[in-house]
Amino acid sequence: MLRRTLLAAAALVAGLATAAPAQEAPWPSRPVTIMGGFPNGAGTDIYARRLADPLSRALGVPVVVDNRTGAGGNIGSDLVAKARPDGYTFYLGTAGTHAINAALYRTLPFDVVRDFTPVVLLGDVPNVLIVNPEKRPNLRSCQDVLAAARVRPQAVSYGSTGNGASTHLAGAQFATAASLDLLHVPFRGQPGAMGALLSGDTDLFFNQTAAAMGPIRQGQVRALVVMTRERLAALPDVPTVGEACGLPPMDTSTWYGILGPANLPEPIVRRMNTEVNRIISTPEFRDWLVNNQAITPPVAPNSPEQFRDTQRADVARWAEVVRRSGATVD
């Protein structure tokens, strides 16, 4: 009897010893997903795919990009907000998804601050005003745009990637500053808005640089002004709004950042923050950001706490911009 009891106890101990390593397996031990809220070819998608390969090598597991589009990025945001906080689901969010949408949508199934864990800022993304030189040869400068819009209110249109997106609010801010009455035409994401510009269905596009640089360099579109206070290194010959339009200096830049679900364990947050900061601080990656995407990377490695402060400040800042623009989404 005693022998059977001892054998059972030994088996129990052995079982616990075997199970312990599985329960305490270091993160990550399987593929990590970075979810996006916008279609393939959007700025967030371009950034996520560029980041995925070096991040996969750093973490030692595959990093998968999974875009779940719709509702201004809210579908992807909601999936991440409701995901298990185990370090295997992240979101490449923006000031649009995690600041602007809080003011734009009357109700959301999540709280943009409370239901997420900020991990790391990825950079500031400006907007650039572009036109189709083939379809609109008369619009060669900002002054041409101002003149055309003042002669015929609502006759000059601008496309956007959706109501309340930075591409919409940049146009709204420009119109307000110049006292223009432009026609806003929203689309569901980058492909629709760019397609409308290339086909001539719309006149202007206040696009994010991350998605606009390819068409600009290919000659498909002409960049008229950058919506920043200073010229961009990637577009040195393109003037600012202040320089070309006779308007007050303007900056419509928004940020990209990686967030996880609320209550993400601190060790996972710190590891992810460290690895991403290291990657985007390398000369090769910074050169790609600045000279290829016209994205301004963080000046120095940024902490989750700094990201949290930036997000909260932007929730208030963009709420005022949305209020002035009158943009709403039912």
Side-chain angles (χ1 to χ4, degrees), residues 193-217:
M194 183 60 77
L197 187 76
L198 295 178
S199 68
D201 290 338
T202 55
D203 303 304
L204 313 171
F205 190 8
F206 295 83
N207 202 9
Q208 289 190 332
T209 55
M213 292 302 295
I216 290 172
R217 287 185 169 142

Side-chain angles (χ1 to χ4, degrees), residues 115-179:
D115 292 334
F116 295 88
T117 301
V119 177
V120 60
L121 275 169
L122 299 174
D124 289 330
V125 188
N127 295 81
V128 56
L129 171 56
I130 55 177
V131 299
N132 184 338
E134 180 182 338
K135 300 292 184 179
R136 300 294 184 271
N138 60 312
L139 300 179
R140 301 189 59 83
S141 69
C142 185
Q143 292 298 330
D144 291 338
V145 172
L146 296 178
R150 285 168 179 160
V151 170
R152 299 177 59 201
Q154 284 277 304
V156 176
S157 62
Y158 71 97
S160 78
T161 54
N163 279 314
S166 68
T167 53
H168 170 203
L169 296 182
Q173 287 179 274
F174 177 83
T176 298
S179 299

Side-chain angles (χ1 to χ4, degrees), residues 37-40 42 68-75 105 159-163 165 167 184-196 205:
F38 301 97
N40 292 352
R68 303 297 183 92
T69 65
N74 289 331
I75 290 177
Y105 288 81
S160 78
T161 54
N163 279 314
T167 53
H184 172 228
V185 184
F187 293 89
R188 293 190 63 182
Q190 180 73 212
M194 183 60 77
F205 190 8

Side-chain angles (χ1 to χ4, degrees), residues 23-329:
Q23 294 173 351
E24 299 173 4
W27 177 88
S29 58
R30 55 187 172 86
V32 170
T33 296
I34 296 179
M35 200 167 285
F38 301 97
N40 292 352
T44 51
D45 174 69
I46 293 169
Y47 199 127
R49 295 186 188 281
R50 180 75 178 201
L51 180 64
D53 186 51
L55 185 57
S56 175
R57 293 195 299 271
L59 296 178
V61 297
V63 174
V64 180
V65 177
D66 183 8
N67 293 319
R68 303 297 183 92
T69 65
N74 289 331
I75 290 177
S77 295
D78 191 41
L79 288 170
V80 174
K82 292 176 171 57
R84 289 183 60 191
D86 56 8
Y88 293 99
T89 306
F90 293 90
Y91 193 69
L92 202 158
T94 71
T97 61
H98 284 76
I100 295 172
N101 283 358
L104 186 68
Y105 288 81
R106 293 177 182 174
T107 59
L108 288 174
F110 53 84
D111 185 284
V112 298
V113 174
R114 186 184 61 244
D115 292 334
F116 295 88
T117 301
V119 177
V120 60
L121 275 169
L122 299 174
D124 289 330
V125 188
N127 295 81
V128 56
L129 171 56
I130 55 177
V131 299
N132 184 338
E134 180 182 338
K135 300 292 184 179
R136 300 294 184 271
N138 60 312
L139 300 179
R140 301 189 59 83
S141 69
C142 185
Q143 292 298 330
D144 291 338
V145 172
L146 296 178
R150 285 168 179 160
V151 170
R152 299 177 59 201
Q154 284 277 304
V156 176
S157 62
Y158 71 97
S160 78
T161 54
N163 279 314
S166 68
T167 53
H168 170 203
L169 296 182
Q173 287 179 274
F174 177 83
T176 298
S179 299
L180 301 178
D181 187 6
L182 300 177
L183 176 63
H184 172 228
V185 184
F187 293 89
R188 293 190 63 182
Q190 180 73 212
M194 183 60 77
L197 187 76
L198 295 178
S199 68
D201 290 338
T202 55
D203 303 304
L204 313 171
F205 190 8
F206 295 83
N207 202 9
Q208 289 190 332
T209 55
M213 292 302 295
I216 290 172
R217 287 185 169 142
Q218 293 163 14
Q220 292 179 294
V221 300
R222 176 187 293 128
L224 298 187
V225 293
V226 290
M227 309 288 285
T228 52
R229 295 179 180 273
E230 305 290 338
R231 294 197 183 197
L232 302 175
L235 297 168
D237 297 326
V238 180
T240 67
V241 170
E243 290 175 319
C245 308
L247 300 175
M250 187 179 301
D251 189 351
T252 63
S253 299
T254 53
W255 46 258
Y256 287 173
I258 292 179
L259 307 98
N263 303 313
L264 195 62
E266 184 72 9
I268 293 176
V269 174
R270 297 296 170 186
R271 171 81 189 281
M272 189 73 163
N273 177 277
T274 297
E275 298 295 356
V276 173
N277 267 317
R278 183 186 59 77
I279 292 167
I280 67 176
S281 296
T282 61
E284 179 186 7
F285 204 96
R286 289 179 75 89
D287 179 71
W288 177 77
L289 287 176
V290 173
N291 295 312
N292 186 282
Q293 301 293 288
I295 293 176
T296 303
V299 175
N302 67 95
S303 69
E305 291 78 17
Q306 289 171 315
F307 186 7
R308 172 72 79 187
D309 291 344
T310 297
Q311 183 196 11
R312 286 178 170 166
D314 260 17
V315 169
R317 179 172 78 92
W318 284 104
E320 179 60 18
V321 173
V322 170
R323 185 191 66 77
R324 290 199 308 268
S325 74
T328 59
V329 176

